[in-house]
Coordinates of all heavy atoms in Angstrom, one line a residue:
L226 N -10.8 6.9 2.2 CA -11.7 7.3 1.1 C -12.5 6.1 0.6 O -13.7 6.2 0.4 CB -10.9 7.9 0.0 CG -11.7 8.5 -1.2 CD1 -12.4 9.8 -0.7 CD2 -10.7 8.8 -2.4
V227 N -11.8 5.0 0.4 CA -12.4 3.8 -0.1 C -13.4 3.3 1.0 O -14.5 2.8 0.7 CB -11.4 2.7 -0.4 CG1 -12.0 1.3 -0.6 CG2 -10.6 3.1 -1.6
A228 N -13.1 3.5 2.3 CA -14.0 3.0 3.3 C -15.3 3.7 3.3 O -16.3 3.2 3.9 CB -13.3 3.2 4.7
L229 N -15.4 4.9 2.7 CA -16.7 5.6 2.6 C -17.7 4.8 1.9 O -18.9 5.0 2.1 CB -16.5 6.9 1.9 CG -15.6 8.0 2.7 CD1 -15.5 9.2 1.8 CD2 -16.3 8.3 4.0
A230 N -17.3 3.8 1.1 CA -18.3 3.0 0.4 C -19.0 2.0 1.3 O -20.1 1.5 1.0 CB -17.6 2.2 -0.7
G231 N -18.4 1.8 2.5 CA -19.1 0.9 3.5 C -19.1 -0.6 2.9 O -20.1 -1.3 3.3
S232 N -18.1 -1.0 2.2 CA -18.1 -2.3 1.6 C -16.9 -3.1 2.0 O -15.7 -2.7 1.8 CB -18.1 -2.2 0.0 OG -17.7 -3.4 -0.6
V233 N -17.1 -4.2 2.7 CA -16.0 -5.0 3.2 C -15.2 -5.5 2.0 O -14.0 -5.6 2.1 CB -16.5 -6.2 4.1 CG1 -15.4 -7.1 4.4 CG2 -17.2 -5.6 5.3
R234 N -15.9 -5.9 1.0 CA -15.2 -6.5 -0.2 C -14.3 -5.5 -0.9 O -13.2 -5.8 -1.3 CB -16.2 -7.1 -1.2 CG -16.9 -8.3 -0.7 CD -18.1 -8.7 -1.6 NE -18.7 -9.9 -1.1 CZ -19.6 -9.9 -0.1 NH1 -20.0 -8.8 0.5 NH2 -20.2 -11.1 0.3
T235 N -14.8 -4.2 -1.0 CA -14.0 -3.2 -1.6 C -12.8 -2.9 -0.7 O -11.7 -2.7 -1.2 CB -14.8 -1.9 -1.8 OG1 -16.0 -2.3 -2.6 CG2 -14.0 -0.9 -2.6
D236 N -13.0 -2.8 0.6 CA -11.9 -2.6 1.5 C -10.8 -3.7 1.3 O -9.6 -3.3 1.3 CB -12.4 -2.6 2.9 CG -13.2 -1.4 3.3 OD1 -13.1 -0.4 2.5 OD2 -13.9 -1.4 4.3
E237 N -11.2 -4.9 1.2 CA -10.2 -6.0 1.1 C -9.5 -5.9 -0.2 O -8.3 -6.2 -0.3 CB -11.0 -7.4 1.3 CG -11.4 -7.6 2.7 CD -12.2 -9.0 2.8 OE1 -12.5 -9.6 1.7 OE2 -12.5 -9.4 3.9
L238 N -10.2 -5.7 -1.3 CA -9.6 -5.5 -2.6 C -8.5 -4.4 -2.6 O -7.4 -4.7 -3.0 CB -10.7 -5.2 -3.7 CG -10.1 -4.7 -5.0 CD1 -9.4 -5.8 -5.7 CD2 -11.3 -4.2 -5.9
M239 N -8.9 -3.3 -2.1 CA -8.0 -2.1 -2.1 C -6.9 -2.3 -1.1 O -5.8 -1.7 -1.3 CB -8.7 -0.8 -1.9 CG -9.7 -0.6 -3.1 SD -8.9 -0.7 -4.7 CE -7.9 0.8 -4.7
R240 N -7.1 -3.0 0.0 CA -6.0 -3.3 0.9 C -4.8 -4.0 0.2 O -3.7 -3.6 0.4 CB -6.5 -4.1 2.1 CG -5.4 -4.5 3.1 CD -5.9 -5.5 4.1 NE -6.2 -6.8 3.5 CZ -6.7 -7.8 4.2 NH1 -6.9 -7.8 5.5 NH2 -7.0 -9.0 3.5
S241 N -5.2 -4.9 -0.6 CA -4.1 -5.6 -1.4 C -3.5 -4.8 -2.5 O -2.3 -4.8 -2.7 CB -4.7 -6.9 -2.0 OG -5.2 -7.8 -1.1
V242 N -4.4 -3.9 -3.1 CA -3.8 -3.1 -4.2 C -2.9 -2.0 -3.6 O -1.8 -1.8 -4.1 CB -5.0 -2.3 -4.9 CG1 -4.5 -1.2 -5.8 CG2 -5.8 -3.3 -5.7
F243 N -3.2 -1.4 -2.4 CA -2.3 -0.5 -1.8 C -1.0 -1.1 -1.3 O 0.0 -0.5 -1.4 CB -3.1 0.2 -0.6 CG -4.2 1.1 -1.0 CD1 -5.3 1.2 -0.3 CD2 -4.1 1.9 -2.2 CE1 -6.4 2.0 -0.6 CE2 -5.1 2.7 -2.6 CZ -6.3 2.8 -1.8
A244 N -1.1 -2.3 -0.8 CA 0.1 -3.0 -0.3 C 1.0 -3.3 -1.5 O 2.2 -3.2 -1.4 CB -0.3 -4.3 0.4
E245 N 0.4 -3.7 -2.6 CA 1.2 -4.0 -3.8 C 1.8 -2.8 -4.3 O 3.0 -2.8 -4.7 CB 0.3 -4.6 -4.9 CG 1.0 -5.3 -6.0 CD 0.1 -6.0 -7.0 OE1 -1.2 -6.1 -6.7 OE2 0.6 -6.5 -8.0
L246 N 1.1 -1.6 -4.3 CA 1.7 -0.4 -4.8 C 2.9 0.0 -4.0 O 3.9 0.6 -4.5 CB 0.7 0.7 -4.8 CG 1.1 2.1 -5.3 CD1 1.7 2.0 -6.8 CD2 0.0 3.1 -5.3
R247 N 2.8 -0.2 -2.7 CA 3.9 0.2 -1.8 C 5.2 -0.6 -2.1 O 6.3 -0.1 -1.8 CB 3.5 0.0 -0.3 CG 2.4 0.9 0.1 CD 2.2 1.0 1.6 NE 3.2 1.8 2.2 CZ 3.1 2.2 3.5 NH1 2.0 2.0 4.2 NH2 4.1 2.9 4.1
L248 N 5.1 -1.8 -2.8 CA 6.3 -2.5 -3.2 C 7.0 -1.6 -4.2 O 8.3 -1.6 -4.2 CB 5.9 -3.8 -3.9 CG 5.3 -4.9 -3.0 CD1 5.0 -6.1 -3.8 CD2 6.2 -5.2 -1.8
A249 N 6.3 -0.9 -5.1 CA 6.9 -0.1 -6.1 C 7.6 1.1 -5.4 O 8.7 1.5 -5.7 CB 5.9 0.4 -7.1
F250 N 6.9 1.7 -4.4 CA 7.4 2.9 -3.7 C 8.7 2.5 -3.0 O 9.6 3.4 -2.9 CB 6.4 3.4 -2.7 CG 5.3 4.2 -3.4 CD1 4.2 4.7 -2.6 CD2 5.3 4.5 -4.7 CE1 3.2 5.4 -3.2 CE2 4.3 5.2 -5.3 CZ 3.2 5.7 -4.6
H251 N 8.8 1.3 -2.5 CA 10.1 0.9 -1.8 C 11.3 0.9 -2.7 O 12.4 1.0 -2.2 CB 9.9 -0.4 -1.0 CG 8.9 -0.3 0.1 ND1 8.8 0.7 1.0 CD2 7.8 -1.2 0.4 CE1 7.8 0.5 1.8 NE2 7.2 -0.6 1.5
L252 N 11.0 0.6 -4.0 CA 12.2 0.6 -4.9 C 12.5 2.0 -5.4 O 13.6 2.2 -6.0 CB 11.9 -0.3 -6.1 CG 12.0 -1.8 -5.9 CD1 11.7 -2.6 -7.2 CD2 13.3 -2.2 -5.3
V253 N 11.7 2.9 -5.3 CA 11.9 4.3 -5.8 C 12.3 5.2 -4.5 O 11.4 5.6 -3.8 CB 10.7 4.9 -6.5 CG1 11.0 6.3 -7.0 CG2 10.3 4.0 -7.7
D254 N 13.5 5.5 -4.4 CA 14.0 6.2 -3.2 C 13.9 7.7 -3.4 O 14.8 8.4 -3.3 CB 15.4 5.8 -2.9 CG 15.9 6.3 -1.5 OD1 15.0 6.5 -0.7 OD2 17.1 6.4 -1.3
E255 N 12.6 8.1 -3.6 CA 12.3 9.6 -3.8 C 11.1 9.9 -3.0 O 10.1 10.5 -3.6 CB 12.2 9.9 -5.3 CG 13.4 9.6 -6.1 CD 13.1 9.9 -7.6 OE1 12.1 10.4 -7.9 OE2 14.0 9.5 -8.4
P256 N 11.0 9.6 -1.7 CA 9.7 9.8 -1.0 C 9.2 11.2 -1.0 O 8.0 11.4 -1.1 CB 10.1 9.3 0.4 CG 11.6 9.3 0.5 CD 12.1 9.1 -0.9
R257 N 10.1 12.2 -0.8 CA 9.5 13.5 -0.8 C 8.9 13.9 -2.2 O 7.8 14.5 -2.2 CB 10.7 14.5 -0.4 CG 10.2 16.0 -0.4 CD 11.2 16.9 0.2 NE 10.7 18.3 0.4 CZ 11.3 19.3 1.0 NH1 12.5 19.1 1.4 NH2 10.7 20.4 1.1
R258 N 9.6 13.6 -3.2 CA 9.2 14.0 -4.6 C 7.9 13.2 -4.9 O 7.0 13.8 -5.5 CB 10.2 13.6 -5.6 CG 9.8 14.0 -7.0 CD 11.0 13.7 -8.0 NE 10.6 14.0 -9.4 CZ 10.1 13.1 -10.2 NH1 9.9 11.9 -9.8 NH2 9.8 13.4 -11.4
L259 N 7.7 12.0 -4.4 CA 6.6 11.2 -4.7 C 5.3 11.6 -3.9 O 4.2 11.5 -4.4 CB 6.8 9.7 -4.5 CG 7.8 9.0 -5.5 CD1 8.0 7.6 -5.0 CD2 7.3 9.1 -6.9
H260 N 5.5 12.1 -2.7 CA 4.4 12.3 -1.8 C 4.1 13.7 -1.4 O 2.9 14.0 -1.2 CB 4.7 11.5 -0.5 CG 5.0 10.0 -0.7 ND1 4.1 9.2 -1.4 CD2 6.0 9.3 -0.3 CE1 4.6 8.0 -1.4 NE2 5.8 8.0 -0.7
E261 N 5.1 14.6 -1.4 CA 4.8 15.9 -0.9 C 3.7 16.7 -1.7 O 2.9 17.4 -1.1 CB 6.1 16.8 -0.8 CG 5.9 18.1 -0.1 CD 7.2 18.9 0.0 OE1 8.1 18.7 -0.9 OE2 7.3 19.7 0.9
P262 N 3.7 16.6 -3.0 CA 2.7 17.3 -3.8 C 1.3 17.0 -3.5 O 0.4 17.8 -3.9 CB 3.1 17.0 -5.3 CG 4.5 16.5 -5.2 CD 4.6 15.8 -3.9
Y263 N 1.1 15.8 -2.9 CA -0.3 15.3 -2.8 C -1.0 15.7 -1.5 O -2.2 15.5 -1.3 CB -0.4 13.8 -3.1 CG 0.1 13.6 -4.5 CD1 1.4 13.2 -4.7 CD2 -0.7 13.8 -5.6 CE1 1.9 13.0 -6.0 CE2 -0.2 13.7 -6.9 CZ 1.1 13.2 -7.1 OH 1.6 13.1 -8.4
L264 N -0.2 16.3 -0.6 CA -0.8 16.6 0.7 C -1.9 17.7 0.5 O -3.0 17.6 1.1 CB 0.3 17.2 1.7 CG -0.1 17.7 3.0 CD1 -0.9 16.6 3.8 CD2 1.1 18.1 3.9
Q265 N -1.5 18.7 -0.2 CA -2.5 19.8 -0.5 C -3.7 19.2 -1.3 O -4.9 19.7 -1.1 CB -1.9 21.0 -1.2 CG -0.8 21.7 -0.4 CD -1.3 22.2 0.9 OE1 -2.4 22.7 1.0 NE2 -0.5 22.1 1.9
R266 N -3.4 18.3 -2.2 CA -4.5 17.7 -3.0 C -5.5 16.9 -2.1 O -6.7 16.9 -2.3 CB -4.0 16.9 -4.1 CG -3.2 17.6 -5.2 CD -2.8 16.7 -6.3 NE -2.1 17.5 -7.4 CZ -2.1 17.1 -8.6 NH1 -2.7 16.0 -9.0 NH2 -1.4 17.8 -9.5
N267 N -4.9 16.2 -1.1 CA -5.8 15.5 -0.2 C -6.7 16.5 0.5 O -7.9 16.2 0.7 CB -4.9 14.8 0.8 CG -4.2 13.6 0.3 OD1 -4.4 13.1 -0.8 ND2 -3.2 13.1 1.0
R268 N -6.1 17.6 0.9 CA -6.9 18.6 1.6 C -8.1 19.1 0.8 O -9.2 19.3 1.2 CB -6.1 19.7 2.1 CG -6.8 20.7 3.0 CD -6.0 21.9 3.4 NE -4.9 21.5 4.4 CZ -3.6 21.4 4.0 NH1 -3.2 21.8 2.8 NH2 -2.7 21.0 4.9
R269 N -7.7 19.4 -0.5 CA -8.8 19.9 -1.4 C -9.9 18.9 -1.7 O -11.1 19.3 -1.8 CB -8.1 20.4 -2.7 CG -7.3 21.6 -2.6 CD -7.0 22.3 -3.9 NE -6.2 21.5 -4.8 CZ -4.8 21.6 -4.8 NH1 -4.2 22.4 -4.0 NH2 -4.1 20.8 -5.6

Side-chain angles (χ1 to χ4, degrees):
L226 187 70
V227 169
L229 293 176
S232 166
V233 173
R234 290 171 179 82
T235 305
D236 289 343
E237 290 179 350
L238 166 67
M239 295 308 291
R240 178 187 65 179
S241 296
V242 169
F243 291 143
E245 195 176 353
L246 181 58
R247 294 191 77 163
L248 294 180
F250 284 173
H251 293 317
L252 282 186
V253 180
D254 192 21
E255 302 176 7
R257 181 172 185 173
R258 180 174 179 271
L259 289 179
H260 304 306
E261 188 177 25
Y263 300 99
L264 178 57
Q265 297 302 323
R266 294 188 179 204
N267 289 347
R268 185 182 294 109
R269 288 197 291 271

